[in-house]
Structures are given as C-alpha cells and as structure tokens.
Amino acid sequence: MSERHEQFMREALAQAEQALAAGDFPVGCILVRGGEILARGRRVNSRGPATNELDHAEINALRELPGRPDAAPTGIVAYSTMEPCLMCFAALLLNGVREIVYAYEDAMGGGTGLHLAHLAPLYRQMEVAVTPSVLRAESLALFRRFFADPANNYWQGSHLAAYTLNQP
C-alpha cells in the first residue's frame, strides 16, 4: 500500500468523521489529481426529514467539480472510505474517473466488482483500476461506531450492519 494512498485516504476519513459527527453514515470521498485535492464530499441526509439515497459522498464530491478550471476528469483518482455503490461507481465512471481507491468493502451493495465488459457499449471499453482495503481498519472502526449506536437507524439490521459488527 502506497504512502500516497494512505495520505489521501486519511483526508477521506476526515470527511467520514464529519459525517458521523453529524449523525450520518460515515462515508467520505475526495477526488485527487496530480497530488492535489480537487473536491471533497461526505454522506449527508442519511437520516432525518431529508433522508434520501442521492447524497452519497462520491456524488457530493463530484458536485464540487463543475466550474473549477482544473476540473477536467482526466487523471482523477477517487478515494472513498467505503466501496462505491453501483450508483456512485457509474457516476464516477461517467465523469471520467478511472481509478478508485477505497477503504472498507460494501458487502451489501458495492459496485466495483461489476464486469464492465458485459455492459452496454458506453461502459464496455472503460478500463478502471480499483485498489481496495487502504486503511480498512480505520474505516471499519467508523462503521462499527455507527452501527453500534441505536440512534443511527440507517441500514440497521441489514446485511451490511451484521457483516460490519461481526468483523474481527
């Protein structure tokens, strides 16, 4: 595991800590190119009256890119504290991100194992580099804290919650 990956994953973990402190699902994401952080995002609206499944960390980071003079998608690496779901994986790909680094596997809905060669032509030719388990233990600790708190009802009782709480 490279020191560079760890350095940027720590930045994503800081976003996840902010999400957890706000009572949201502890996912953080940063978008990096050439050693510079271009955008940051964290999961919001995973509880309360505005609860939805659109405000994922990766989507929120992607929303920061438009309007930046250096936001062309070429060469951007996404660092996420949890494996991107299918929605986020596709959104990253459609925005030109071809390298994804994540900390903790999404045992319930992770999308990075999707075989792009079996999809429609838009995705079929895409080559994506995926690096799992960078600072996995640190990310797992955040998810354990989230699922151990009964006040956090997002995905409580799910396969992901059981999987997370039963990790060694």
Side-chain angles (χ1 to χ4, degrees):
M1 178 172 7
S2 79
E3 285 182 36
R4 188 177 112 168
H5 282 339
E6 287 184 5
Q7 170 195 350
F8 290 123
M9 189 59 73
R10 289 189 195 292
E11 293 289 333
L13 284 163
Q15 292 297 306
E17 285 277 4
Q18 289 178 21
L20 184 61
D24 278 303
F25 198 54
V27 181
C29 177
I30 63 165
L31 303 177
V32 175
R33 183 182 30 218
E36 178 188 354
I37 297 173
L38 300 177
R40 300 171 195 273
R42 64 178 175 87
R43 180 65 165 103
V44 296
N45 297 322
S46 61
R47 64 185 253 179
T51 299
N52 70 69
E53 283 302 327
L54 296 174
D55 291 328
H56 289 202
E58 297 87 349
I59 301 299
N60 289 329
L62 286 168
R63 286 177 176 148
E64 282 193 16
L65 285 180
R68 286 187 57 117
D70 58 353
T74 307
I76 293 177
V77 180
Y79 289 85
S80 184
T81 58
M82 175 171 263
E83 177 185 6
C85 69
L86 285 173
M87 174 183 72
C88 293
F89 185 55
L92 289 166
L93 295 179
L94 290 172
N95 281 279
V97 176
R98 296 295 183 269
E99 185 174 357
I100 298 168
V101 180
Y102 68 83
Y104 184 57
E105 65 276 9
D106 183 347
M108 186 169 74
T112 63
L114 185 65
H115 295 286
L116 298 176
H118 299 288
L119 297 180
L122 176 64
Y123 300 97
R124 196 173 295 145
Q125 302 303 317
M126 292 181 181
E127 292 185 22
V128 182
V130 176
T131 304
S133 302
V134 175
L135 299 181
R136 181 185 183 276
E138 290 85 339
S139 188
L140 172 59
L142 292 177
F143 289 105
R144 278 191 177 138
R145 282 177 33 210
F146 179 85
F147 285 124
D149 182 349
N152 296 323
N153 60 4
Y154 184 75
W155 291 121
Q156 286 291 355
S158 69
H159 173 74
L160 179 61
Y163 177 85
T164 299
L165 294 171
N166 289 314
Q167 289 295 300

